[in-house]
């Protein structure tokens, strides 16, 4: 009997480590006294990560919490809320969606039910409306109906064309949409007092970024530079751990510039799109998901450049 108890205890202790415990995959990163990153997995959406395969952020002000991106599902949003509770008892009063990708906004419903006001750029809301059906199909395949429980398409209460600013407690927030990047409505959130930048999907760290049909690699470069002009001391990317601007340049901007010039060269030498997979991207092999994304990115940039 004593042994049985012992084994039960060991089994319980091992459970979270085995990944059976959804939520174990989010990591809290403290940046300043009030600014935090919540870092999700770098891989794809799964039943375990509940669609939270991205990085989120939050800021604790004297008048409540501001959350940057609400997670990929209702239950994923609940996990994010649990992480915030580790730091403060204050409620989430505002949610900013930095873009139109699923993990930026499909947790909105959870926070709206609890009284939060949701803010996003007009272009992000239009993108969300246009792609929500496809996003639900993708999530039901990858996360499953259990993980999707309670998830609904809930759109922003307030939207803006290019700029939106507010002060909550004593904390100043400046949101900017400077053009299309990973998605048409990507925006970044700047905290001038903290010198912290939340870049959303404008920046990918440690993993290869994705250029998709909803992206524009050319203006993505300009948007990156517009964001970088604020000279953030700390940067919370859309994917990966919070880091420096220099690291963001290396993993995101330099790759975009490299990819576009490599594809341009390929086109100039008469290369056909069917051979674009042969493009040498080995210098970016250190980025995670390289195998699945490199060829697709080159193909997308090729298609884009044909129209430029
Ligand atoms: Zn993303």
């Amino acid at each position: 009997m004593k042994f049985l108890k012992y084994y039960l205890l060991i089994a319980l202790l091992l459970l979270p480590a085995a990944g059976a415990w959804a939520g174990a995959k989010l990591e809290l990163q403290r940046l300043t006294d009030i600014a935090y990153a919540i870092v999700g997995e770098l891989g794809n959406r799964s039943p375990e990560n509940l669609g939270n395969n991205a990085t989120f952020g939050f800021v604790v002000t004297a008048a409540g919490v501001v959350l940057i991106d609400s997670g990929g599902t209702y239950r994923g949003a609940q996990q994010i809320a649990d992480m915030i509770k580790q730091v403060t008892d204050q409620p989430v009063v505002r949610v900013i969606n930095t873009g139109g990708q699923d993990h930026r906004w499909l947790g909105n419903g959870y926070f709206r039910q609890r009284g939060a006001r949701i803010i996003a750029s007009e272009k992000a809301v239009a993108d969300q409306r246009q792609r929500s059906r496809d996003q639900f199909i993708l999530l039901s395949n990858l996360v499953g109906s259990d993980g999707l429980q309670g998830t609904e398409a809930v759109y922003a209460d307030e939207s803006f064309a290019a700029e939106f600013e507010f002060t909550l407690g004593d904390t100043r927030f400046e949101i900017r949409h400077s053009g299309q990047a990973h998605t048409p409505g990507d925006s970044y959130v700047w905290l001038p007092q903290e010198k912290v930048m939340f870049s959303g999907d404008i920046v990918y760290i440690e993993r290869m970024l994705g250029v998709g049909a909803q992206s524009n690699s050319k203006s993505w470069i300009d948007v990156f530079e517009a964001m970088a002009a604020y000279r953030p001391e700390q940067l919370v990317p859309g994917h990966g751990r919070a880091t420096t601007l220099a690291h963001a340049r290396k993993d995101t901007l330099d790759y975009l510039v490299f990819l576009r010039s490599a594809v341009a060269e390929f086109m100039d030498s008469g290369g056909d799109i069917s051979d674009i997979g042969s493009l040498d991207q080995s210098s970016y092999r250190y980025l995670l998901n390289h195998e699945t994304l490199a060829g697709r990115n080159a193909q997308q940039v090729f298609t884009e450049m044909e129209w430029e």
Side-chain angles (χ1 to χ4, degrees):
M1 190 64 195
K2 206 170 177 184
F3 279 111
L4 185 64
K5 264 189 193 162
Y6 176 74
Y7 283 120
L8 271 173
L9 179 70
I10 293 295
L12 280 171
L13 285 172
L14 287 174
L15 244 156
W21 176 30
K25 301 284 165 78
L26 291 177
E27 183 191 321
L28 188 69
Q29 211 185 340
R30 181 185 174 280
L31 307 174
T32 70
D33 283 347
I34 63 166
Y36 294 81
I38 298 174
V39 186
E41 288 181 320
L42 294 169
N44 211 338
R45 300 142 183 88
S46 70
E48 288 74 32
N49 66 34
L50 297 170
N52 283 346
N53 64 329
T55 298
F56 316 95
F58 66 95
V59 183
V60 185
T61 81
V65 173
V66 175
L67 172 66
I68 294 100
D69 296 321
S70 57
T73 56
Y74 184 93
R75 288 182 57 200
Q78 205 164 0
Q79 283 190 352
I80 289 173
D82 288 344
M83 297 294 283
I84 296 171
K85 268 182 213 140
Q86 292 182 18
V87 173
T88 177
D89 289 331
Q90 294 240 51
V92 173
V93 293
R94 301 220 182 150
V95 174
I96 301 164
N97 301 149
T98 61
Q101 217 187 1
D102 49 0
H103 39 237
R104 304 283 152 228
W105 72 284
L106 282 174
N108 283 355
Y110 177 89
F111 295 101
R112 163 83 65 74
Q113 276 178 3
R114 286 152 185 83
R117 191 167 177 73
I118 298 153
I119 303 159
S121 76
E122 285 163 8
K123 291 252 171 72
V125 176
D127 183 33
Q128 291 164 3
R129 286 187 188 280
Q130 202 187 336
R131 291 197 293 148
S132 68
R133 216 183 107 83
D134 292 344
Q135 291 175 349
F136 272 97
I137 292 169
L138 178 81
L139 286 169
S140 56
N141 285 332
L142 296 176
V143 174
S145 53
D146 237 32
L148 257 181
Q149 245 174 57
T151 311
E152 276 171 45
V154 171
Y155 301 100
D157 301 290
E158 218 163 337
S159 59
F160 60 94
E163 297 185 4
F164 190 92
E165 300 186 359
F166 63 90
T167 301
L168 194 69
D170 294 325
T171 309
R172 185 91 187 133
F173 293 81
E174 301 179 4
I175 316 172
R176 298 283 183 267
H177 166 66
S178 303
Q180 186 173 7
H182 177 63
T183 75
D186 285 342
S187 51
Y188 46 92
V189 182
W190 172 237
L191 304 186
Q193 296 141 314
E194 307 292 309
K195 306 258 180 276
V196 170
M197 180 67 82
F198 298 91
S199 73
D201 281 330
I202 296 162
V203 177
Y204 282 58
I205 296 291
E206 301 160 63
R207 60 153 283 192
M208 183 163 273
L209 59 81
V211 185
Q214 79 292 337
S215 313
N216 184 316
S217 67
K218 189 179 187 201
S219 72
W220 192 336
I221 290 171
D222 299 335
V223 171
F224 186 103
E225 292 295 10
M227 179 280 296
Y230 287 81
R231 296 176 168 275
E233 282 172 10
Q234 299 191 81
L235 186 149
V236 180
H239 296 270
R241 286 192 179 81
T243 186
T244 60
L245 183 58
H247 191 180
R249 277 189 187 281
K250 180 171 175 277
D251 286 3
T252 295
L253 184 70
D254 291 355
Y255 174 64
L256 281 170
V257 171
F258 155 79
L259 184 62
R260 285 183 56 84
S261 76
V263 171
E265 234 170 80
F266 179 86
M267 291 169 89
D268 284 349
S269 62
D272 188 82
I273 191 157
S274 59
D275 298 324
I276 194 74
S278 66
L279 197 79
D280 181 14
Q281 299 192 42
S282 54
S283 42
Y284 288 93
R285 203 177 277 153
Y286 75 94
L287 293 172
L288 229 76
N289 307 335
H290 160 271
E291 309 81 359
T292 43
L293 289 172
R296 216 187 70 181
N297 286 347
Q299 200 172 12
Q300 187 61 39
V301 169
F302 188 108
T303 311
E304 228 181 79
M305 288 179 103
E306 279 184 314
W307 294 93
E308 278 174 11

